[in-house]
Structure formats: C-alpha cells, structure tokens
Amino acid sequence: MNKQLQYDLNNTRQLLTQALEEGLSYLQNINAAPTSAAKATTDFAPLPTDGAGGSDALSEFRKRFKDLMVASAGPRYWGFVTGGTTPAAIMGDMLATIFDQNTQTVKGHGDLSGIIEFETIDMLKELFSLPDDFLGGFVTGATMSNFTCLGVARQWVGKQKGVDIAKKGVPSIFPILSAVPHSSSIKALSMLGLGSSNIQIVKTIDPTREAIDIAALEEKIQLLNGEPFILISSGGTVNTVDYDDAQAIAGLKEKYNFWWHVDAAFGGFAAISPAYAHLLAGWGKADSITVDGHKWLNVPYESAFFFVKEKHKLLQVETYQNSNAPYLGDPLENFSFLNFLPENSRRFKALPAWFTLKAYGKEGYREIVERNISQAMQLGEFISQSDYFELLAPVRLNTVCFTLKNSDSIAVQTFLDRINDSGKVFMTPTFFNGRKGIRAALVNWRTTEEDVKIVQKEMMKAVS
Ligand SMILES: *Cc1c(COP(=O)(O)O)cnc(C)c1O
C-alpha cells in the first residue's frame, strides 16, 4: 500500500475527527457567516505526484477555499429555494458516506440498503398523505425527478399509440400541456427527445396568477380530439407558489386520456400542514409527482424523490431497465432501483432522509413548514406596509416576490446587489407579470423571526 495511504489508514480516527471539527466550526458560526462568497481564487494548484495525506489536504482546503464556503445552509440564504441540513440529516449523510452502499436491491444477498429506501419512501408518502399506490425512489434533484417521471409519461404516450418508445425512439411529436412549467421540466423534455419547444402553454387564471385556467385547459384538450398527451401541472410555482387546481384536474382525468405529472418540488410540503394541505387536494390521483429533498426536507444535496403510480410499473421498467446485463435478472421479479430510474450505481441517498424523518417526525416537519410560512408572511407584511417596496403577488406560502416601488429594472438590480453584498441575506432576481422583481424563498429549519427582522433592517439600509 502507498505509504501515505497506509499512514491515513492508521490514523482514520484522527482524520475524521479533524474533518468533523472543521465542519462543526462552520456550523457554530453559521448564523453570522456571510451569505455571499469572498473573491474566488483562479490560481489552480496542480495534481501532486506524491500526496501529502488527508491532514495536509484539509490544511490546504482551509487555507485556499474555506472562505469561499457561504452560509447556504444558514437561516438567511433565501435565494433560489435553498434548504439547509438538520442535525439528524447530517448524521445520516455522514454515515451514508462511510457505509458507501450501492443502494439497489431489497431482497436476496449483498447490499440490502434498498430496504431502508423503501421504508423512507413509505414514511414520505405518510408525511405527504399520499395514497399507498405510488412506487417511489430517490434521485439527485427535482430536475432528475421530473425527468424520471416524464420518461415514464413518454413511454405511456407511446403505448397509447402502439409504439415502444424506449426501444424504437420517439416517432413523432406529441402534445404536452402546461401553464407555468418549471425550467427543469422544459430541460427534461429536451433531454427526453420530446422537444422543449413542443410544450403548448395553457393560459393562467389571469396575468397576476400562475395557476392554470381549467376551462382553457379543457378547451385545449378538446381540440386534441382524443390524442393522448402529457399534462405538467404545478404544485407550487417558484415565483408566487401558485398551485394548479388538482381537484379539477383529477376531474378532467376521468373524462380524458392523459398522463398527469405534478411538479411539487417544494410546494408538496404544504400537504404536511392542515392549514395548507387543501392547496394540493386531489394530487394523489396524479400519475407521477416530483418532490425535492434538499429543499424543505432540509437534507443535504443531492436528494429528491419521484412517485409514480405502481400500475405504471411495467412502463417504468421498460424505460429504465438496464436490460443488457443478464446477471441482474428479471427486473420485475428481482426488484432493483437501477431498473426504475436513470442512475445505475447509486449513493445511499435515503439515509439522511430516514434519519431526519425518524428524528423529527410529522410534527417536527409541520412546525418547520408552518414557521417558514409565517416568516414569509411577516416579511410580506413589512413589504406591503413599506413606502419603498411592494409585493408582486400575495404571499401564498413560503416565498415573497416583491420589487421596489416606482423603480426601473436597473434600480431593482442595484438594490439586490447591495443587500446580497451585505452578506447578511441572499435573494435572487426574477421577472413576474412584466416586472423585474426579487424572490425570497424560506425553507430553512434554522430561520427565526429575528432573522426576518435582520433582513428588514438590511433592506432599509439598501434603499437609503
Ligand atoms: C427547485 C425546483 C426544481 C428543480 O429542482 P432541482 O432540485 O434544482 O433539480 C423543479 N421544480 C420546482 C418547482 C422547483 O422549485
């Protein structure tokens, strides 16, 4: 064995303790740590011929890169939709690394960590009050979950037309309807060979809303004359957290032949709160659902889940089976995750989710979700009473979409740069209803009312 490697093997405990201490010092300071990075280095160091061991690697990391680590897991990182990591999720994630299972199977010999993934998916269905007839699994993010679900949808449309698309390829374009699809669904359509420009946009209820106009949707469906299609609906849009009416769509599904996909990457968490669960009423009848883990579940990147109705199992296997490997056996007989989703070898991604679900339970998550929502409302209240700011949409859940009063796009960007430069809070730009705006999305378990006040103060500093 390489001498340095042998040395590190002998000192594994000290090395892991050092790394843990490094991480703990980040966590201890996370409330005060900047939400924007210092200047990045562009002097890249070469690959060493002889390595210096883990301890020296840590020293070099600390010296060159540590200051670039922003408090993205902290309480005031409100850009995009960025979750943090609960203590138990970190425990599970560390152990997932150490155990390094290649999570696949649920019976037989060898690695059986898939059983824990099954149990985790069951807990998630319970958390979201989803019916039991979904088959679920972990992928790296909502983008990949949308891809996974829409891949099965593609196979379904093919079957309706008598074509096995997984084998023969996409024969012709077919209709895909949506009102406000997330950019990642459009990306998934391009990856799936369905053509990102083949989405037929259905209008929303009115220009200030992002929820689909059900009557307009039904008109479009009737124009299709019975042709099978895919509907991508929103379970929480990123700008204004608007929801397509799932109950109404479930009704349409009884009349027309289509695949119904719901992108509920973070909005799915409304299901945990009795006060907001109505926003998703009916979503359990969808053919497939996307929910993110690394957002509101507060597990580390990369984590998301797909839920596809179990009755579509064969379509799912046809799409994702790793069929040229006879040693893997019959995919329907011998369950293995690699036949149900894009990845073959897989990280034990369920473990951090398993830990955090066990640690905090349904009540723990209800509290996080409701707290973040009330904080978003608190910020929304401040904005609507301000002389300087205005809301671009009412605060429906956990996201505040706002802009500067009587200002052009340049002024809005200047303001955003200022507050982001403060390092106290991070928000991201958007465009809504013809106006440049700013989004603050609250999905971090650490955030307190005090954090919202800190941000309000920074916002006032940045306009004065
Ligand atoms: C974040 C998000 C996605 C993409 O998720 P990733 O985890 O970044 O891949 C998709 N849809 C919605 C509604 C989202 O909020």
Side-chain angles (χ1 to χ4, degrees):
M1 194 185 286
N2 170 279
K3 235 174 71 198
Q4 191 60 61
L5 189 57
Q6 180 69 56
Y7 179 85
D8 279 8
L9 171 61
N10 298 343
N11 292 281
T12 301
R13 175 177 293 270
Q14 289 93 315
L15 291 176
L16 292 192
T17 306
Q18 270 182 36
L20 185 60
E21 290 297 339
E22 191 68 40
L24 287 173
S25 80
Y26 167 83
L27 289 179
Q28 269 149 16
N29 189 42
I30 201 164
N31 289 351
T35 48
S36 294
K39 293 265 175 299
T41 175
T42 46
D43 297 331
F44 295 128
L47 173 70
T49 307
D50 294 308
S55 187
D56 277 28
L58 180 62
S59 303
E60 181 174 343
F61 174 83
R62 190 184 294 133
K63 211 160 70 209
R64 297 180 52 214
F65 297 131
K66 197 184 171 190
D67 288 347
L68 303 181
M69 299 298 116
V70 298
S72 52
R76 277 170 270 104
Y77 198 92
W78 297 348
F80 315 104
V81 185
T82 309
T85 47
T86 65
I90 296 174
M91 292 166 72
D93 203 65
M94 277 173 22
L95 291 176
T97 296
I98 290 170
F99 296 142
D100 199 23
Q101 307 288 290
N102 181 1
T103 303
Q104 299 294 352
T105 55
V106 293
K107 62 180 183 186
H109 302 286
D111 160 53
L112 292 179
S113 55
I115 289 171
I116 298 172
E117 182 157 341
F118 264 47
E119 180 169 299
T120 311
I121 289 293
D122 277 353
M123 287 196 284
L124 287 166
K125 283 191 272 191
E126 216 177 314
L127 183 71
F128 300 129
S129 304
L130 281 173
D132 217 30
D133 59 352
F134 282 103
L135 190 143
F138 279 72
V139 286
T140 50
T143 304
M144 279 314 289
S145 176
N146 282 333
F147 176 92
T148 305
C149 294
L150 293 171
V152 190
R154 183 185 67 175
Q155 189 69 358
W156 177 85
V157 175
K159 277 295 163 77
Q160 302 297 304
K161 294 169 175 273
V163 188
D164 183 342
I165 291 181
K167 286 218 170 87
K168 304 286 182 192
V170 181
S172 59
I173 61 166
F174 49 78
I176 299 149
L177 307 187
S178 190
V180 184
H182 186 264
S183 52
S184 64
S185 283
I186 296 168
K187 176 173 174 171
L189 293 177
S190 85
M191 292 195 287
L192 285 160
L194 295 175
S196 57
S197 65
N198 291 328
I199 284 202
Q200 300 184 22
I201 296 295
V202 181
K203 71 177 170 101
T204 57
I205 294 171
D206 70 56
T208 68
R209 294 289 303 273
E210 293 184 303
I212 199 164
D213 182 321
I214 293 291
L217 171 62
E218 185 157 13
E219 266 169 44
K220 276 227 189 252
I221 294 175
Q222 282 168 348
L223 287 175
L224 294 175
N225 255 326
E227 192 183 352
F229 67 96
I230 298 171
L231 173 69
I232 302 173
S233 74
S234 293
T237 55
V238 284
N239 268 336
T240 68
V241 204
D242 218 340
Y243 289 76
D244 292 344
D245 183 341
Q247 207 112 45
I249 295 170
L252 292 177
K253 216 168 140 53
E254 283 168 20
K255 287 163 67 182
Y256 306 101
N257 190 29
F258 62 97
W259 181 284
W260 178 21
H261 175 63
V262 182
D263 181 351
F266 66 93
F269 282 77
I272 306 173
S273 165
Y276 296 94
H278 64 92
L279 294 168
L280 290 154
W283 73 323
K285 300 216 172 87
D287 294 290
S288 58
I289 295 175
T290 286
V291 184
D292 235 326
H294 51 222
K295 288 176 180 166
W296 229 340
L297 192 66
N298 281 266
V299 297
Y301 292 106
E302 305 167 333
S303 181
F305 349 106
F306 62 82
F307 299 99
V308 178
K309 277 272 148 89
E310 195 138 19
K311 65 177 181 202
H312 300 308
K313 198 168 166 173
L314 185 60
L315 297 170
Q316 193 165 351
V317 167
E318 284 170 354
T319 309
Y320 296 110
Q321 66 188 323
N322 198 43
S323 57
N324 299 324
Y327 62 93
L328 295 170
D330 177 346
L332 283 174
E333 285 282 303
N334 303 315
F335 182 89
S336 183
F337 276 106
L338 63 73
N339 290 314
F340 285 82
L341 41 74
E343 293 98 351
N344 278 358
S345 301
R346 306 169 70 231
R347 179 179 169 78
F348 193 0
K349 284 189 287 291
L351 199 57
W354 187 93
F355 262 76
T356 197
L357 289 168
K358 285 284 171 187
Y360 313 116
K362 194 161 186 168
E363 274 305 300
Y365 275 93
R366 185 188 59 75
E367 191 277 329
I368 294 171
V369 164
E370 290 180 348
R371 174 155 47 93
N372 287 154
I373 294 171
S374 90
Q375 289 158 347
M377 305 254 168
Q378 183 190 340
L379 182 65
E381 204 47 46
F382 162 77
I383 286 168
S384 57
Q385 286 173 13
S386 152
D387 292 337
Y388 303 98
F389 308 105
E390 66 178 299
L391 289 173
L392 283 176
V395 180
R396 294 198 180 86
L397 205 73
N398 64 321
T399 299
V400 184
C401 186
F402 70 99
T403 194
L404 292 186
K405 272 186 180 161
N406 313 314
S407 298
D408 60 10
S409 298
I410 297 168
V412 175
Q413 187 61 47
T414 305
F415 166 80
L416 179 61
D417 289 343
R418 274 193 184 180
I419 47 169
N420 284 345
D421 283 347
S422 78
K424 294 263 171 56
V425 61
F426 186 74
M427 300 184 193
T428 37
T430 192
F431 206 76
F432 179 68
N433 195 18
R435 293 180 71 187
K436 185 172 173 94
I438 295 171
R439 283 175 60 258
L442 284 77
V443 288
N444 190 298
W445 68 277
R446 290 180 183 272
T447 309
T448 63
E449 241 175 69
E450 194 46 42
D451 288 309
V452 180
K453 288 188 188 139
I454 292 171
V455 172
Q456 287 170 193
K457 218 186 268 168
E458 288 305 318
M459 286 170 66
M460 289 311 293
K461 265 200 230 160
V463 280
S464 59

PDB file of all heavy atoms in Angstrom, residues 371-390:
ATOM      1  N   ARG A 371     -43.691  27.413  10.382  1.00  0.00           N
ATOM      2  CA  ARG A 371     -42.841  28.523  10.843  1.00  0.00           C
ATOM      3  C   ARG A 371     -42.315  29.307   9.634  1.00  0.00           C
ATOM      4  O   ARG A 371     -42.388  30.532   9.597  1.00  0.00           O
ATOM      5  CB  ARG A 371     -41.700  27.970  11.701  1.00  0.00           C
ATOM      6  CG  ARG A 371     -40.663  28.998  12.112  1.00  0.00           C
ATOM      7  CD  ARG A 371     -39.931  28.584  13.394  1.00  0.00           C
ATOM      8  NE  ARG A 371     -39.469  27.200  13.372  1.00  0.00           N
ATOM      9  CZ  ARG A 371     -38.248  26.827  12.964  1.00  0.00           C
ATOM     10  NH1 ARG A 371     -37.393  27.731  12.530  1.00  0.00           N
ATOM     11  NH2 ARG A 371     -37.895  25.557  13.003  1.00  0.00           N
ATOM     12  N   ASN A 372     -41.785  28.597   8.632  1.00  0.00           N
ATOM     13  CA  ASN A 372     -41.280  29.290   7.436  1.00  0.00           C
ATOM     14  C   ASN A 372     -42.391  30.078   6.744  1.00  0.00           C
ATOM     15  O   ASN A 372     -42.176  31.195   6.282  1.00  0.00           O
ATOM     16  CB  ASN A 372     -40.650  28.295   6.445  1.00  0.00           C
ATOM     17  CG  ASN A 372     -39.303  27.758   6.884  1.00  0.00           C
ATOM     18  OD1 ASN A 372     -38.912  26.662   6.493  1.00  0.00           O
ATOM     19  ND2 ASN A 372     -38.565  28.502   7.691  1.00  0.00           N
ATOM     20  N   ILE A 373     -43.581  29.498   6.686  1.00  0.00           N
ATOM     21  CA  ILE A 373     -44.694  30.208   6.044  1.00  0.00           C
ATOM     22  C   ILE A 373     -45.010  31.481   6.823  1.00  0.00           C
ATOM     23  O   ILE A 373     -45.162  32.556   6.237  1.00  0.00           O
ATOM     24  CB  ILE A 373     -45.949  29.305   5.938  1.00  0.00           C
ATOM     25  CG1 ILE A 373     -45.687  28.117   4.991  1.00  0.00           C
ATOM     26  CG2 ILE A 373     -47.152  30.116   5.440  1.00  0.00           C
ATOM     27  CD1 ILE A 373     -46.778  27.053   4.998  1.00  0.00           C
ATOM     28  N   SER A 374     -45.052  31.390   8.150  1.00  0.00           N
ATOM     29  CA  SER A 374     -45.430  32.588   8.910  1.00  0.00           C
ATOM     30  C   SER A 374     -44.322  33.636   8.814  1.00  0.00           C
ATOM     31  O   SER A 374     -44.601  34.841   8.824  1.00  0.00           O
ATOM     32  CB  SER A 374     -45.835  32.234  10.343  1.00  0.00           C
ATOM     33  OG  SER A 374     -44.728  32.263  11.189  1.00  0.00           O
ATOM     34  N   GLN A 375     -43.060  33.210   8.669  1.00  0.00           N
ATOM     35  CA  GLN A 375     -41.968  34.172   8.471  1.00  0.00           C
ATOM     36  C   GLN A 375     -42.087  34.875   7.120  1.00  0.00           C
ATOM     37  O   GLN A 375     -41.843  36.077   7.004  1.00  0.00           O
ATOM     38  CB  GLN A 375     -40.619  33.459   8.588  1.00  0.00           C
ATOM     39  CG  GLN A 375     -40.315  33.045  10.020  1.00  0.00           C
ATOM     40  CD  GLN A 375     -39.302  31.926  10.117  1.00  0.00           C
ATOM     41  OE1 GLN A 375     -38.979  31.266   9.132  1.00  0.00           O
ATOM     42  NE2 GLN A 375     -38.804  31.710  11.322  1.00  0.00           N
ATOM     43  N   ALA A 376     -42.475  34.103   6.092  1.00  0.00           N
ATOM     44  CA  ALA A 376     -42.665  34.706   4.766  1.00  0.00           C
ATOM     45  C   ALA A 376     -43.799  35.735   4.834  1.00  0.00           C
ATOM     46  O   ALA A 376     -43.715  36.819   4.247  1.00  0.00           O
ATOM     47  CB  ALA A 376     -42.966  33.627   3.724  1.00  0.00           C
ATOM     48  N   MET A 377     -44.844  35.411   5.588  1.00  0.00           N
ATOM     49  CA  MET A 377     -45.977  36.341   5.745  1.00  0.00           C
ATOM     50  C   MET A 377     -45.520  37.607   6.486  1.00  0.00           C
ATOM     51  O   MET A 377     -45.933  38.715   6.151  1.00  0.00           O
ATOM     52  CB  MET A 377     -47.116  35.675   6.528  1.00  0.00           C
ATOM     53  CG  MET A 377     -47.575  34.360   5.920  1.00  0.00           C
ATOM     54  SD  MET A 377     -49.152  34.511   5.092  1.00  0.00           S
ATOM     55  CE  MET A 377     -49.260  32.980   4.185  1.00  0.00           C
ATOM     56  N   GLN A 378     -44.667  37.393   7.495  1.00  0.00           N
ATOM     57  CA  GLN A 378     -44.118  38.516   8.279  1.00  0.00           C
ATOM     58  C   GLN A 378     -43.351  39.472   7.350  1.00  0.00           C
ATOM     59  O   GLN A 378     -43.539  40.683   7.386  1.00  0.00           O
ATOM     60  CB  GLN A 378     -43.186  37.930   9.356  1.00  0.00           C
ATOM     61  CG  GLN A 378     -42.561  38.918  10.318  1.00  0.00           C
ATOM     62  CD  GLN A 378     -41.472  38.228  11.186  1.00  0.00           C
ATOM     63  OE1 GLN A 378     -41.448  36.994  11.332  1.00  0.00           O
ATOM     64  NE2 GLN A 378     -40.565  39.017  11.744  1.00  0.00           N
ATOM     65  N   LEU A 379     -42.524  38.906   6.482  1.00  0.00           N
ATOM     66  CA  LEU A 379     -41.769  39.717   5.522  1.00  0.00           C
ATOM     67  C   LEU A 379     -42.723  40.385   4.527  1.00  0.00           C
ATOM     68  O   LEU A 379     -42.565  41.560   4.187  1.00  0.00           O
ATOM     69  CB  LEU A 379     -40.743  38.844   4.787  1.00  0.00           C
ATOM     70  CG  LEU A 379     -39.839  39.558   3.785  1.00  0.00           C
ATOM     71  CD1 LEU A 379     -38.924  40.570   4.491  1.00  0.00           C
ATOM     72  CD2 LEU A 379     -38.986  38.549   3.002  1.00  0.00           C
ATOM     73  N   GLY A 380     -43.742  39.642   4.100  1.00  0.00           N
ATOM     74  CA  GLY A 380     -44.730  40.176   3.167  1.00  0.00           C
ATOM     75  C   GLY A 380     -45.469  41.364   3.760  1.00  0.00           C
ATOM     76  O   GLY A 380     -45.717  42.377   3.097  1.00  0.00           O
ATOM     77  N   GLU A 381     -45.789  41.249   5.045  1.00  0.00           N
ATOM     78  CA  GLU A 381     -46.473  42.316   5.786  1.00  0.00           C
ATOM     79  C   GLU A 381     -45.612  43.581   5.821  1.00  0.00           C
ATOM     80  O   GLU A 381     -46.078  44.686   5.543  1.00  0.00           O
ATOM     81  CB  GLU A 381     -46.699  41.777   7.216  1.00  0.00           C
ATOM     82  CG  GLU A 381     -47.800  42.364   8.027  1.00  0.00           C
ATOM     83  CD  GLU A 381     -49.121  42.494   7.287  1.00  0.00           C
ATOM     84  OE1 GLU A 381     -49.531  41.518   6.602  1.00  0.00           O
ATOM     85  OE2 GLU A 381     -49.725  43.579   7.395  1.00  0.00           O
ATOM     86  N   PHE A 382     -44.343  43.389   6.140  1.00  0.00           N
ATOM     87  CA  PHE A 382     -43.388  44.508   6.175  1.00  0.00           C
ATOM     88  C   PHE A 382     -43.341  45.202   4.805  1.00  0.00           C
ATOM     89  O   PHE A 382     -43.359  46.428   4.712  1.00  0.00           O
ATOM     90  CB  PHE A 382     -42.002  43.964   6.563  1.00  0.00           C
ATOM     91  CG  PHE A 382     -40.857  44.881   6.233  1.00  0.00           C
ATOM     92  CD1 PHE A 382     -40.586  45.991   7.038  1.00  0.00           C
ATOM     93  CD2 PHE A 382     -40.039  44.649   5.130  1.00  0.00           C
ATOM     94  CE1 PHE A 382     -39.523  46.843   6.738  1.00  0.00           C
ATOM     95  CE2 PHE A 382     -38.976  45.495   4.824  1.00  0.00           C
ATOM     96  CZ  PHE A 382     -38.723  46.595   5.633  1.00  0.00           C
ATOM     97  N   ILE A 383     -43.280  44.397   3.734  1.00  0.00           N
ATOM     98  CA  ILE A 383     -43.176  44.949   2.385  1.00  0.00           C
ATOM     99  C   ILE A 383     -44.441  45.712   2.001  1.00  0.00           C
ATOM    100  O   ILE A 383     -44.379  46.823   1.478  1.00  0.00           O
ATOM    101  CB  ILE A 383     -42.870  43.821   1.373  1.00  0.00           C
ATOM    102  CG1 ILE A 383     -41.408  43.392   1.538  1.00  0.00           C
ATOM    103  CG2 ILE A 383     -43.156  44.260  -0.068  1.00  0.00           C
ATOM    104  CD1 ILE A 383     -41.037  42.121   0.827  1.00  0.00           C
ATOM    105  N   SER A 384     -45.598  45.125   2.318  1.00  0.00           N
ATOM    106  CA  SER A 384     -46.824  45.793   1.868  1.00  0.00           C
ATOM    107  C   SER A 384     -47.103  47.077   2.652  1.00  0.00           C
ATOM    108  O   SER A 384     -47.845  47.930   2.195  1.00  0.00           O
ATOM    109  CB  SER A 384     -48.010  44.829   1.880  1.00  0.00           C
ATOM    110  OG  SER A 384     -48.168  44.295   3.151  1.00  0.00           O
ATOM    111  N   GLN A 385     -46.464  47.209   3.829  1.00  0.00           N
ATOM    112  CA  GLN A 385     -46.667  48.449   4.588  1.00  0.00           C
ATOM    113  C   GLN A 385     -45.566  49.473   4.348  1.00  0.00           C
ATOM    114  O   GLN A 385     -45.575  50.556   4.924  1.00  0.00           O
ATOM    115  CB  GLN A 385     -46.732  48.124   6.078  1.00  0.00           C
ATOM    116  CG  GLN A 385     -48.053  47.478   6.437  1.00  0.00           C
ATOM    117  CD  GLN A 385     -48.091  46.999   7.873  1.00  0.00           C
ATOM    118  OE1 GLN A 385     -47.232  47.355   8.676  1.00  0.00           O
ATOM    119  NE2 GLN A 385     -49.080  46.197   8.192  1.00  0.00           N
ATOM    120  N   SER A 386     -44.606  49.102   3.491  1.00  0.00           N
ATOM    121  CA  SER A 386     -43.434  49.955   3.307  1.00  0.00           C
ATOM    122  C   SER A 386     -43.672  51.031   2.249  1.00  0.00           C
ATOM    123  O   SER A 386     -44.466  50.854   1.323  1.00  0.00           O
ATOM    124  CB  SER A 386     -42.258  49.072   2.904  1.00  0.00           C
ATOM    125  OG  SER A 386     -41.344  49.787   2.127  1.00  0.00           O
ATOM    126  N   ASP A 387     -42.962  52.141   2.375  1.00  0.00           N
ATOM    127  CA  ASP A 387     -43.019  53.200   1.361  1.00  0.00           C
ATOM    128  C   ASP A 387     -42.121  52.866   0.185  1.00  0.00           C
ATOM    129  O   ASP A 387     -42.212  53.492  -0.860  1.00  0.00           O
ATOM    130  CB  ASP A 387     -42.529  54.535   1.953  1.00  0.00           C
ATOM    131  CG  ASP A 387     -43.497  55.063   3.002  1.00  0.00           C
ATOM    132  OD1 ASP A 387     -44.684  54.667   2.951  1.00  0.00           O
ATOM    133  OD2 ASP A 387     -43.054  55.842   3.873  1.00  0.00           O
ATOM    134  N   TYR A 388     -41.217  51.919   0.365  1.00  0.00           N
ATOM    135  CA  TYR A 388     -40.192  51.660  -0.652  1.00  0.00           C
ATOM    136  C   TYR A 388     -40.431  50.408  -1.480  1.00  0.00           C
ATOM    137  O   TYR A 388     -39.955  50.296  -2.600  1.00  0.00           O
ATOM    138  CB  TYR A 388     -38.816  51.534   0.016  1.00  0.00           C
ATOM    139  CG  TYR A 388     -38.444  52.747   0.819  1.00  0.00           C
ATOM    140  CD1 TYR A 388     -38.633  52.774   2.204  1.00  0.00           C
ATOM    141  CD2 TYR A 388     -37.936  53.879   0.191  1.00  0.00           C
ATOM    142  CE1 TYR A 388     -38.303  53.894   2.946  1.00  0.00           C
ATOM    143  CE2 TYR A 388     -37.603  55.014   0.919  1.00  0.00           C
ATOM    144  CZ  TYR A 388     -37.787  55.013   2.301  1.00  0.00           C
ATOM    145  OH  TYR A 388     -37.474  56.126   3.025  1.00  0.00           O
ATOM    146  N   PHE A 389     -41.132  49.434  -0.888  1.00  0.00           N
ATOM    147  CA  PHE A 389     -41.275  48.138  -1.550  1.00  0.00           C
ATOM    148  C   PHE A 389     -42.735  47.828  -1.839  1.00  0.00           C
ATOM    149  O   PHE A 389     -43.625  48.351  -1.175  1.00  0.00           O
ATOM    150  CB  PHE A 389     -40.719  47.011  -0.660  1.00  0.00           C
ATOM    151  CG  PHE A 389     -39.328  47.276  -0.176  1.00  0.00           C
ATOM    152  CD1 PHE A 389     -39.089  47.659   1.143  1.00  0.00           C
ATOM    153  CD2 PHE A 389     -38.246  47.174  -1.046  1.00  0.00           C
ATOM    154  CE1 PHE A 389     -37.801  47.907   1.594  1.00  0.00           C
ATOM    155  CE2 PHE A 389     -36.964  47.425  -0.610  1.00  0.00           C
ATOM    156  CZ  PHE A 389     -36.732  47.794   0.715  1.00  0.00           C
ATOM    157  N   GLU A 390     -42.941  46.943  -2.793  1.00  0.00           N
ATOM    158  CA  GLU A 390     -44.298  46.423  -2.999  1.00  0.00           C
ATOM    159  C   GLU A 390     -44.246  44.957  -3.388  1.00  0.00           C
ATOM    160  O   GLU A 390     -43.280  44.494  -4.023  1.00  0.00           O
ATOM    161  CB  GLU A 390     -45.048  47.236  -4.059  1.00  0.00           C
ATOM    162  CG  GLU A 390     -44.461  47.115  -5.448  1.00  0.00           C
ATOM    163  CD  GLU A 390     -45.240  47.900  -6.495  1.00  0.00           C
ATOM    164  OE1 GLU A 390     -46.429  47.593  -6.680  1.00  0.00           O
ATOM    165  OE2 GLU A 390     -44.648  48.799  -7.120  1.00  0.00           O
TER     166      GLU A 390
END
